[in-house]
Amino acid sequence: MVDSHFECRANCGACCIAPSITSHIPGMPNGKPANVACIHLNEQMRCGLFGQSSRPAVCGHLKPCFEMCGTHQQDALNYLNNLENLTRP
């Protein structure tokens, strides 16, 4: 269940690192492989495309929740890496 009051943890960025993205990202026309930081992940570990129409739809649909984010960045990386492995073609 997604908690609409759950917010991204500062200095995490796991959702911009762990998942592969197969759609176009500005500056990354072929998307990005899993476990590679998106070029738009800024120094504060936040998405530089957040709120922009150029942000990939898959990113906009990924919503933070305790189940995914856990209590530390490593929890989020582990969860997202597990999802990546389960959904790999």
Side-chain angles (χ1 to χ4, degrees):
M1 174 166 63
V2 175
D3 180 352
S4 62
H5 300 297
F6 195 91
E7 296 197 19
C8 289
R9 181 177 24 268
N11 299 308
C12 180
C15 58
C16 296
I17 299 168
S20 61
I21 299 176
T22 58
S23 59
H24 172 85
I25 301 169
M28 301 180 90
N30 298 317
K32 70 166 222 60
N35 295 307
V36 171
C38 176
I39 64 171
H40 299 285
L41 183 62
N42 66 27
E43 291 177 7
Q44 293 76 38
M45 302 298 278
R46 299 280 187 178
C47 175
L49 296 177
F50 191 84
Q52 297 182 24
S53 62
S54 57
R55 185 176 182 216
V58 67
C59 299
H61 292 295
L62 188 62
K63 304 294 184 203
C65 65
F66 183 78
E67 180 183 15
M68 177 177 72
C69 300
T71 56
H72 304 291
Q73 180 197 43
Q74 192 60 53
D75 293 338
L77 289 168
N78 291 342
Y79 182 91
L80 291 166
N81 282 324
N82 187 46
L83 281 182
E84 183 70 30
N85 290 331
L86 290 171
T87 59
R88 186 175 297 140

